[in-house]
């Protein structure tokens, strides 16, 4: 029987690439999303992957959403915590709402989504938890104190949870993408991309969502079973650890 993978923020950008790659590699995939109904339905019709709508910052909504997925597809074997938002601004001008919104979606969501699936994984003796963090959680970024703090917290979450669950056949890992050619990045002024951003990337180009997805597929499968508590940087050499 195919393993069940749940991808948060799984109907757009990097999340969509992850969902499609997992399906292509034999997983039964469910994708959650937060608000863009049109994009989610288009993704569903194009891929055949079912979509489920809830707010990953709301624990009760996550718990109910996981139950719905499991009732339709089966127990979640692979959880990809991909959902994330930005609310950028310099810290001395940042509102409490800008801070809280990013923390809820980018950090609190790890508890909200992982807590409802971890006991089942432990009971079955197999599981994969993969967190999409960010290069800015590793190096920081001016104008993103909230985002950088949340994404750094993601890495700490991975390291601790990996230690707690390694003996139960569960791996927990983080992927830290750099600049990836999503709609959001492609919307940046082309001159800024050319003169300011790409020169920071030694390989000389933006990454592609599919490059992140291929790493997720590897970590989600049997071949990734000896990798846990790791942080995989996929950034074209922009930041080396």
């Amino acid at each position: 029987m195919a393993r069940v993978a749940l991808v948060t923020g799984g109907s757009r950008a990097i999340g969509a690439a992850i969902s499609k790659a997992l399906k292509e590699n034999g997983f039964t995939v469910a994708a959650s999303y937060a608000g863009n109904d049109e994009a989610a339905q288009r993704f569903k019709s194009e891929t055949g992957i079912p979509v489920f709508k809830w707010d990953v910052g709301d624990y009760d909504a996550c718990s109910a959403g996981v139950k719905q997925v499991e009732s339709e597809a089966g127990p979640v074997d692979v959880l990809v915590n991909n959902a994330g938002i930005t609310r950028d601004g310099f810290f001395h001008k940042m509102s409490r709402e800008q801070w809280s919104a990013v923390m809820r979606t980018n950090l609190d969501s790890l508890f909200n989504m992982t807590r409802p699936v971890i006991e089942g994984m432990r009971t079955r003796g197999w599981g994969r938890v993969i967190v999409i963090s960010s290069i800015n959680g590793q190096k920081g970024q001016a104008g993103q104190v909230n985002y950088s703090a949340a994404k750094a917290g993601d890495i700490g979450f991975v390291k601790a949870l990996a230690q707690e669950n390694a003996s139960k056949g569960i791996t927990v890992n983080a992927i830290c993408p750099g600049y990836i050619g999503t709609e959001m990045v492609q919307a940046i002024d082309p001159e800024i991309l050319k003169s300011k951003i790409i020169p920071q990337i030694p390989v000389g180009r933006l990454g592609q969502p599919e490059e992140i997805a291929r790493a997720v597929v590897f970590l989600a499968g049997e071949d990734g079973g000896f990798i846990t508590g790791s942080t995989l940087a996929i950034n074209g050499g922009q930041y080396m650890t």
Side-chain angles (χ1 to χ4, degrees):
M1 178 177 286
R3 299 216 184 261
V4 175
L6 171 56
V7 183
T8 68
S11 64
R12 299 176 63 194
I14 292 173
I18 292 169
S19 296
K20 289 187 281 188
L22 287 167
K23 182 180 179 181
E24 289 166 3
N25 282 271
F27 292 85
T28 297
V29 181
S32 81
Y33 74 102
N36 193 324
D37 295 318
E38 181 180 350
Q41 292 306 314
R42 183 168 60 249
F43 170 82
K44 179 181 178 180
S45 66
E46 291 174 353
T47 65
I49 295 171
V51 294
F52 301 84
K53 184 177 182 179
W54 70 76
D55 175 7
V56 295
D58 180 332
Y59 177 79
D60 290 336
C62 291
S63 184
V66 167
K67 286 180 181 177
Q68 183 181 2
V69 169
E70 293 195 326
S71 70
E72 296 185 20
V76 173
D77 300 298
V78 177
L79 173 64
V80 183
N81 284 306
N82 166 74
I85 62 170
T86 57
R87 296 290 185 269
D88 295 349
F90 284 104
F91 185 75
H92 63 280
K93 297 181 179 180
M94 185 174 290
S95 69
R96 182 177 180 182
E97 175 53 33
Q98 284 175 295
W99 175 270
S100 297
V102 168
M103 286 296 165
R104 287 180 69 251
T105 299
N106 296 11
L107 184 56
D108 290 353
S109 63
L110 301 193
F111 177 86
N112 296 343
M113 287 302 306
T114 310
R115 184 64 183 84
V117 303
I118 195 70
E119 288 186 72
M121 290 180 178
R122 288 172 63 89
T123 298
R124 295 188 299 275
W126 199 96
R128 301 286 188 262
V129 178
I130 301 165
V131 177
I132 308 302
S133 181
S134 168
I135 185 175
N136 292 339
Q138 296 176 297
K139 72 176 186 61
Q141 178 62 44
Q144 288 194 325
V145 171
N146 49 1
Y147 184 82
S148 296
K151 291 299 187 178
D154 291 352
I155 296 171
F157 173 93
V158 161
K159 290 180 177 181
L161 192 67
Q163 293 178 54
E164 291 186 5
N165 290 281
S167 66
K168 296 295 185 179
I170 301 166
T171 67
V172 188
N173 293 289
I175 294 174
C176 289
Y179 280 95
I180 306 300
T182 60
E183 290 181 14
M184 181 176 67
V185 172
Q186 297 286 10
I188 297 172
D189 184 321
E191 185 55 37
I192 297 294
L193 276 174
K194 180 180 178 181
S195 64
K196 301 290 187 183
I197 294 175
I198 292 179
Q200 300 178 41
I201 306 172
V203 302
R205 65 173 177 85
L206 299 176
Q208 295 302 313
E210 292 75 17
E211 292 176 297
I212 308 302
R214 287 194 288 271
V216 170
V217 169
F218 177 76
L219 292 173
E222 299 294 340
D223 289 344
F226 200 57
I227 302 172
T228 195
S230 292
T231 302
L232 177 59
I234 307 178
N235 60 39
Q238 184 179 354
Y239 183 73
M240 301 182 186
T241 57

